[in-house]
Amino acid sequence: MQSLYRRSLCLMAILLTLTLHAISQFKVIGYFPTWEGSVSAIQYSKLTHINYAFLIPNSDGSLQAPDDPARLRSLVTAAHAAGVKVIISVGGGGGDVGFRTFSLTASGRTTFVNNMVSFCNTYNLDGVDLDWEYPNAGTQASAFVTLMSQLATAMHANGRVATAAVIGDYGDDSFLSTLFPVADWLNIMAYDDNPPDHSTYNLAVQCLNYWLGRGLPKEKAVLGVPFYGRRDWSGDYGFATLLGMGADPYADRFGDIGYNGITTIKNKTSLALSQAAGIMIWEIAQDATGTYSLLSAIKDVVNNGNTTTAPIGKTIWLKGNNGQYVSSKGNVNPMYCNATAVAGWNQFLVGDGGNGKITLSNGGYFVSSENGEQAMNCNRTVADDWEKFDWIQNGDGTVSLRGNNGLYVSSENGAAAMTCNRTTAQGWETFSWAQVAAARIAASQDSVVSLKTETGLVVYPNPVTRGSELTINVAGYDGKSPLQVTVKDLYQRTLRYKKAGTARVSISTGNLVPGMYVVVITYGNQIFTKQVLIL
């Protein structure tokens, strides 16, 4: 009896170890629908998990018969042979009505969980993914946490996982924070936000910020990406279909249809590598084959780390092959590549320019190619076409920047102002780069955002730690009109706003991502701006 007990403990330890290993690795999760796609066409070697969607629950906790059981068995056999886990996804938009009833009672929840255990045993599945879109606030939201807790307990007892699909950048009332310690991970649906550009890189950042800001551990956050485009809400267009229509595999727009091309998918994967536990795809049957496969693009980034894609959201320096740094020249004079150190003018925030392009900004102003017609400047307040560039990775680890005129940025060897008029990328058109370390940024800020003592304006601390308070003190404030403080990103979008009647105002940085921001202070006809760094 003791020997049997010890063997049972060992088996449970092994199952727990395997479960924890599955949770800790970077996940590439592909939803595979019941209604389309070939089991034999799946690129199993590029996935860690497949979510088979959907199994439909009834209002009493029983389950509808799965579509084509033989297909599901075939999928599990092929996936397991390749070392890929298969999870059954339950519900889905329109198929989740049953949750609203059975989740509200203890008997309904028990019936459902028991049925899921039996279903997983029958089809040799590795877990359950709940896709309820979405619980109502109050009773349903609480019941969902209770259901997930009971399901997770039953799944873990058999070495399986219990996960959930959640809304993108809101949902406090639908998905309570008490769900976080219960679920193994959450699949964040960062798409279908606002067609046609329904799933931008900035939305991915916003969604991760939202969930991580609420307290979801990074190890349980999985970023969702679409393998389809939208014009409106009338339907979608699979990525392979779009390419067949003539869409550019690297762009994000085809006419009035917005989608994610290879460049954006790679950038989102890099974001997930640094800030999440994995990336999720809806859905893999819509992928292209061969060279332009989005799943292949994801795998490239996972294999190679973040070095092959643009460091969007990061502050970097650029160094020409003359060994000197690119300078904004204080947003006043034409740009040169002749700085000897990484100071304030020589730091650039990399932004998402859309359609696979990037922007570069310093001091709240964007770099412009000037369409190749004159020396480059860093003095634009908004990013239009001339302020967008292709980030091209060279074989030697350097990068080249190509303007929307199709020509390359040149350092001019530091002997003249920089231009964007070269037809090929050679020595002067290649740049090394690196992210600016926080300590160096902090040390250099005095030269970038020195206090405007003549106005009596003080903004501190600067840099400020993410999530802490930023204090603004305006000694010259007369108290006659409201003092308004606005925090904007470098795209001039308002992220924080506060109105006060005193000279001293504190405003929270909340869950703003690290980077450069502009604080605008107004009262009466007085307007002051201050560049602030959030670490």
Side-chain angles (χ1 to χ4, degrees), residues 84-108:
V84 177
K85 304 291 186 181
V86 180
I87 296 170
I88 187 67
S89 189
V90 184
D96 56 358
V97 178
F99 284 118
R100 304 173 192 171
T101 303
F102 77 76
S103 69
L104 301 183
T105 67
S107 60

Side-chain angles (χ1 to χ4, degrees), residues 333-349:
N333 298 313
M335 296 174 63
Y336 266 76
C337 183
N338 63 356
T340 57
V342 182
W345 291 353
N346 316 328
Q347 304 173 147
F348 298 89
L349 177 65

Side-chain angles (χ1 to χ4, degrees), residues 112-317:
F112 174 77
V113 170
N114 288 341
N115 282 328
M116 291 314 311
V117 170
S118 177
F119 189 89
C120 289
N121 288 338
T122 299
Y123 291 95
N124 194 23
L125 295 165
D126 301 292
V128 176
D129 175 65
L130 300 185
D131 189 1
W132 183 354
E133 302 182 19
Y134 305 96
N136 290 334
T139 305
Q140 287 187 8
S142 297
F144 185 75
V145 176
T146 305
L147 174 65
M148 177 60 78
S149 179
Q150 190 172 340
L151 177 66
T153 298
M155 290 295 112
H156 293 168
N158 294 280
R160 297 179 173 124
V161 297
T163 69
V166 296
I167 202 164
D169 60 348
Y170 61 98
D172 304 57
D173 295 336
S174 294
F175 301 102
L176 306 178
S177 58
T178 47
L179 182 68
F180 302 166
V182 174
D184 289 310
W185 64 80
L186 300 182
N187 296 309
I188 301 168
M189 295 185 283
Y191 40 73
D192 289 347
D193 180 60
N194 186 26
D197 296 318
H198 69 104
S199 186
T200 63
Y201 178 88
N202 285 336
L203 177 67
V205 172
Q206 184 176 326
C207 290
L208 282 178
N209 284 346
Y210 168 75
W211 286 100
L212 297 177
R214 281 188 58 190
L216 179 67
K218 170 185 173 181
E219 295 75 20
K220 293 190 176 187
V222 175
L223 175 65
V225 297
F227 277 16
Y228 64 92
R230 280 198 183 280
R231 173 183 286 121
D232 49 37
W233 297 113
S234 63
D236 59 43
Y237 301 80
F239 185 66
T241 300
L242 286 169
L243 297 192
M245 294 166 62
D248 183 341
Y250 294 92
D252 290 339
R253 264 298 191 107
F254 178 63
D256 58 354
I257 301 172
Y259 61 100
N260 282 185
I262 289 173
T263 302
T264 294
I265 287 292
K266 283 190 171 185
N267 288 336
K268 287 185 178 181
T269 305
S270 292
L271 175 68
L273 276 170
S274 64
Q275 297 189 27
I279 197 158
M280 171 272 283
I281 302 131
W282 181 270
E283 40 90 354
I284 55 176
Q286 295 175 310
D287 194 13
T289 58
T291 303
Y292 299 131
S293 163
L294 295 178
L295 187 55
S296 294
I298 290 172
K299 185 65 172 176
D300 286 345
V301 178
V302 173
N303 286 347
N304 299 317
N306 296 336
T307 59
T308 60
T309 56
I312 292 176
K314 306 296 185 183
T315 300
I316 67 169
W317 51 254

Side-chain angles (χ1 to χ4, degrees), residues 428-468:
W428 293 0
E429 293 76 46
T430 63
F431 301 85
S432 57
W433 68 276
Q435 184 178 348
V436 180
R440 181 169 291 177
I441 295 175
S444 64
Q445 285 311 296
D446 289 341
S447 63
V448 185
V449 288
S450 57
L451 299 177
K452 297 182 179 180
T453 54
E454 69 276 9
T455 67
L457 172 65
V458 178
V459 178
Y460 63 93
N462 189 12
V464 60
T465 303
R466 176 187 180 188
S468 59

Side-chain angles (χ1 to χ4, degrees), residues 383-395:
D384 292 322
D385 289 340
W386 292 1
E387 291 73 50
K388 298 176 182 178
F389 300 86
D390 293 312
W391 175 279
I392 300 170
Q393 187 78 24
N394 299 318

